[in-house]
Amino acid sequence: MKKITRIITVLAVVSVAAFTQAKAQVDIGVNLQLNRPAAYERNERVHPPRPSRAHIWVAEEWRWNPGRRNYEYIPGRWNVPPRRGVIWVAGHWVKRPARPGYRWIPGHWR
């Protein structure tokens, strides 16, 4: 009887340890949040008046500044497209084809 009790106790401890380790692996993650400056509330939620019918709203963006080695906030603005028939494509993430992870594509006219 003592042998069975020991076996059950060892199995219970191993089961709890395995469950705890597996749960920790699932719960690990990264949460990155960039704090928007006060200009976001003034400018992005309620756009300033449109200067003309030719202007298109270019939304806010974060751009990498290699000199400062940091992202900098670029507020939204009204812009005139460089030529007729182009549209603004907002910045977005694209999955890398050859290696894991994603790559940031900055906003641009297309």
Side-chain angles (χ1 to χ4, degrees), residues 50-52 54-58 63 77-82 88 109:
R50 188 177 192 176
S52 76
H55 285 76
I56 293 177
W57 181 253
V58 175
R63 288 196 193 142
R77 62 208 177 275
W78 291 105
N79 270 0
V80 176
W88 176 255
W109 293 101

Side-chain angles (χ1 to χ4, degrees), residues 68-88:
R68 298 178 76 185
R69 299 181 58 106
N70 199 356
Y71 284 94
E72 57 186 18
Y73 177 78
I74 309 297
R77 62 208 177 275
W78 291 105
N79 270 0
V80 176
R83 62 191 173 282
R84 191 177 184 139
V86 296
I87 61 168
W88 176 255

